[in-house]
Amino acid sequence: MAARDLQERIKKLIVDQRLPSGAPLPTEPELMRLLGASRNSVREALKALQAMGIVEIRHGFGTYVGPMSFAPMIEGLAFRTVAGHYRGEDSLLQLLELREAMETGLVSRLAGRLPERDLRELDALVERMERQAAEGAGLAETDRAFHATLYRGLDNVLLGEVLEAFWEAFHRVRQDLLDVPHDPQVTCRQHREILDAVRSGDSLRAERAIREHFGNIRSRLSPAAVSRR
């Protein structure tokens, strides 16, 4: 039996039995019997599925349905971007453009629609960012929390996870490859403008605020991106 076919049959078993993350899979001998496959074939299929986050092999305990996270996609995006960078491609800028396209297309849907609780949380995050800027501390994690909280208002878990994956890949690669100077006061001002635009209900203003934010990142990134180590 082809390895790919065996992987697909195990995935179908998970779907057909409606097994949630963390649920135990049939034992190895049971999978051999159910799938009509050898022990080695089953083990290789499970290892491949573990690499995708679909199953989790706990040695001494058994095999379980995995978290099905975007971790493999993050690793792939990060590696592809690094490899492209060293080949002379503007791969980091391309990844930034992917984030920008998604966020620009989504932010207008949030204008005037966020509940007061989320607006208060975003206010608190911008205020924290402003304090960190004044103290000379890094803003990355607060920036990340701001965007995650902002798009939480779309009530789409999958979308939130995809945006988080792009954020993680972009910042991991940027930290590894480039030392890009930035003005934290500008970053704070732009996040305040995004929040004010969303609160106002003006979708075009919200789009402009997001574009300005990404345009600032791009302008800082571009000179560095052409310098290869």
Side-chain angles (χ1 to χ4, degrees):
M1 183 182 298
R4 179 69 179 175
D5 182 52
L6 196 53
Q7 293 169 33
E8 291 301 320
R9 290 181 63 186
I10 294 172
K11 286 157 63 176
K12 186 175 186 303
L13 182 150
I14 293 170
V15 172
D16 289 348
Q17 296 190 12
R18 294 168 173 75
L19 298 176
S21 294
L25 285 175
T27 63
E28 202 172 79
E30 288 172 335
L31 285 173
M32 291 166 58
R33 178 177 56 80
L34 285 169
L35 303 172
S38 68
R39 184 182 301 274
N40 283 342
S41 295
V42 168
R43 286 182 175 177
E44 289 303 312
L46 290 174
K47 286 179 183 177
L49 292 174
Q50 179 172 240
M52 302 175 204
I54 294 172
V55 306
E56 180 183 357
I57 301 170
R58 303 177 191 171
H59 296 289
F61 295 93
T63 304
Y64 298 78
V65 179
M68 302 186 201
S69 74
F70 283 98
M73 185 178 83
I74 293 170
E75 292 297 331
L77 273 173
F79 179 77
R80 185 189 186 285
T81 304
V82 170
H85 179 86
Y86 283 110
R87 288 196 301 266
E89 301 169 5
D90 287 336
S91 53
L92 191 55
L93 282 169
Q94 291 168 11
L95 187 53
L96 177 68
E97 287 173 358
L98 184 56
R99 279 189 58 205
E100 181 180 5
M102 289 194 68
E103 295 203 30
T104 303
L106 293 169
V107 73
S108 62
R109 294 169 53 187
L110 295 169
R113 293 179 53 190
L114 285 188
E116 188 58 35
R117 179 199 51 168
D118 286 2
L119 291 171
R120 286 196 301 269
E121 189 172 340
L122 288 164
D123 267 323
L125 287 167
V126 174
E127 288 168 5
R128 184 196 304 171
M129 201 178 290
E130 290 166 346
R131 289 195 302 273
Q132 290 170 329
E135 295 165 0
L139 307 181
E141 287 308 312
T142 308
D143 188 339
R144 182 180 197 152
F146 178 93
H147 287 263
T149 303
L150 180 65
Y151 295 106
R152 186 177 68 196
L154 293 170
D155 196 25
N156 185 321
V157 174
L158 182 60
L159 183 58
E161 290 179 357
V162 170
L163 287 167
E164 179 76 3
F166 288 150
W167 199 102
E168 173 69 23
F170 176 81
H171 283 272
R172 185 186 302 181
V173 172
R174 190 181 71 171
Q175 290 167 3
D176 288 347
L177 292 181
L178 304 168
D179 181 17
V180 184
H182 73 285
D183 184 341
Q185 299 300 331
V186 171
T187 300
C188 293
R189 178 183 59 76
Q190 290 177 339
H191 283 81
R192 175 64 70 188
E193 171 58 18
I194 292 167
L195 174 55
D196 289 347
V198 168
R199 178 182 271 121
S200 74
D202 187 335
S203 59
L204 292 178
R205 179 184 171 191
E207 286 185 24
R208 285 196 301 271
I210 284 287
R211 289 188 186 281
E212 181 185 355
H213 176 48
F214 279 98
N216 178 53
I217 299 172
R218 188 184 300 104
S219 67
R220 292 186 285 109
L221 194 60
S222 296
V226 297
S227 175
R228 316 294 168 188
R229 291 183 182 177

